Amino acid sequence: MAEDLIDAIVSGRLSADSVLPGEQALCEEFSVSRVVVREALKALEHKGLLIIRQGQGTVVAPVTRWDPLDSTVLDARIRHDDGLGLLDNLVQVRCALESELAGTAATRRTERQLIEMNSVLAAMERALGRPEQYLALEVEFHDHIMQMAANDVARAVVTSIHDHARASSRYCGGELDKQIAAAHVGHAAIAQAINDADELTARTAMRAHILDSWHSKRSRRTGAPDAEHECSCQPGHQPVGTQLRRANTEGI
C-alpha cells in the first residue's frame, strides 16, 4: 500500500493538496486492515509526502516538504524523472561534493592510500573491455578517494545519491564500452593529480570527469549534442573536458 501511494504521489496522479479517502475507503481499496492503513499513512507522513490533520483528513504535501534523500522517495522520483531534471540535480550535488573531496584527498593522502588507489586503477586498466568488472572497480576507486578526504558525511551523501542513480536505466544507458574508455581517461587524470598532491588539478579533474560522463549519457537519451546541452548543474555549461582542452589550446 505504501509503495502504491508513494508512486501515485511522486508521479503526480495524486497532486499536492489532494485529499486522500478515509481509512475505511483505503482499507477496501487495498484490502488491508485499519492498522496497516494507519501505519502506511504515518510512514508517508514521516517521509514528508502526506500531512495528517486530526479530524480534517490527510492531504498530499507539496514537493518542498518531501524528504529528498529518503530511499523509497528518491527511487520513485528517479523512476518518474522523464525530463532528467532530478538526475541533473543529483549530478550537481555529486559534482560539488566529490570534486572538493578529490582536492582534499590530494592534500591528505598517505603513501599507503596512494598504493591502494593506484592498485585499483591498474585493475581498472586490465578490466577495460569487461564492463561489469570495470564498473565495480570504478565504485571502489571513487570510494578510495573519498576515504582519503576523511569526510564521512560527504562520503555518505555521495554514496547514497550515486547508488540510487546507478540503479536507474535513465542514468546508465548508452554504449558502455565507449563510455568506459572515455571515463578511464578521467580516472587516470584524477589519480595523477592526487599522486602529485595537486589539489586544484584533482578538484578540476574530478569535476570534468563527473560532468562529461553525465553529459555523454544524457545526450544519448535526449539527442542533444553534449556541447549544447544545458544542465541545471550549471546554466550554459559546456563539458568541462572541452573547456580544459580549449584553455590549453588558447594558452589560458
Side-chain angles (χ1 to χ4, degrees):
M1 173 184 171
E3 289 78 5
D4 287 346
L5 286 175
I6 290 171
D7 197 72
I9 292 169
V10 171
S11 69
R13 296 198 304 277
L14 286 175
S15 58
D17 297 324
S18 296
V19 180
L20 264 62
E23 280 187 6
Q24 185 57 42
L26 290 172
C27 288
E28 294 172 1
E29 180 177 351
F30 292 99
S31 301
V32 296
S33 68
R34 284 181 179 270
V35 172
V36 172
V37 168
R38 289 169 185 166
E39 289 178 350
L41 296 183
K42 289 297 291 184
L44 267 64
E45 182 184 40
H46 183 70
K47 297 174 188 295
L49 296 174
L50 295 177
I51 301 171
I52 300 175
R53 297 173 178 144
Q54 295 300 325
Q56 300 181 41
T58 300
V59 300
V60 176
V63 67
T64 51
R65 294 187 59 150
W66 299 358
D67 181 351
L69 295 181
D70 178 87
S71 293
T72 51
V73 174
L74 186 53
D75 283 341
R77 293 186 69 187
I78 292 173
R79 193 163 58 249
H80 292 286
D81 187 28
D82 295 332
L84 304 183
L86 177 64
L87 284 173
D88 283 341
N89 290 342
L90 294 180
V91 170
Q92 176 188 11
V93 173
R94 181 192 172 202
C95 183
L97 289 176
E98 202 168 347
S99 59
E100 286 301 314
L101 292 175
T104 302
T107 65
R108 292 187 178 179
R109 84 285 190 278
T110 65
E111 288 302 315
R112 180 182 180 83
Q113 288 173 327
L114 288 179
I115 291 171
E116 292 172 347
M117 179 190 70
N118 292 329
S119 175
V120 175
L121 184 66
M124 291 164 70
E125 180 84 33
R126 294 190 296 271
L128 288 169
R130 298 192 297 277
E132 187 173 341
Q133 184 179 351
Y134 186 94
L135 293 174
L137 288 165
E138 180 185 42
V139 172
E140 187 177 345
F141 175 79
H142 281 271
D143 193 57
H144 269 296
I145 293 171
M146 291 190 286
Q147 288 185 60
M148 290 182 201
N151 184 330
D152 61 330
V153 175
R155 179 186 173 209
V157 173
V158 170
T159 299
S160 175
I161 62 176
H162 196 219
D163 282 353
H164 285 283
R166 286 190 303 109
S168 169
S169 60
R170 296 179 188 274
Y171 182 79
C172 296
E175 302 175 68
L176 269 183
D177 286 339
K178 289 183 179 179
Q179 288 177 12
I180 286 173
H184 191 69
V185 175
H187 293 138
I190 295 163
Q192 186 61 58
I194 292 174
N195 276 297
D196 293 342
D198 188 335
E199 179 180 0
L200 177 59
T201 301
R203 187 184 299 120
T204 303
M206 182 64 81
R207 176 181 174 80
H209 163 64
I210 292 172
L211 291 184
D212 287 358
S213 293
W214 170 232
H215 288 174
S216 175
K217 296 171 186 175
R218 198 186 201 285
S219 67
R220 286 182 172 84
R221 290 203 157 274
T222 62
D226 289 350
E228 295 177 8
H229 168 61
E230 294 192 3
C231 166
S232 62
C233 29
Q234 184 178 346
H237 168 80
Q238 278 191 326
V240 178
T242 302
Q243 294 179 22
L244 293 175
R245 289 190 290 274
R246 179 175 296 170
N248 291 335
T249 301
E250 296 176 354
I252 297 175

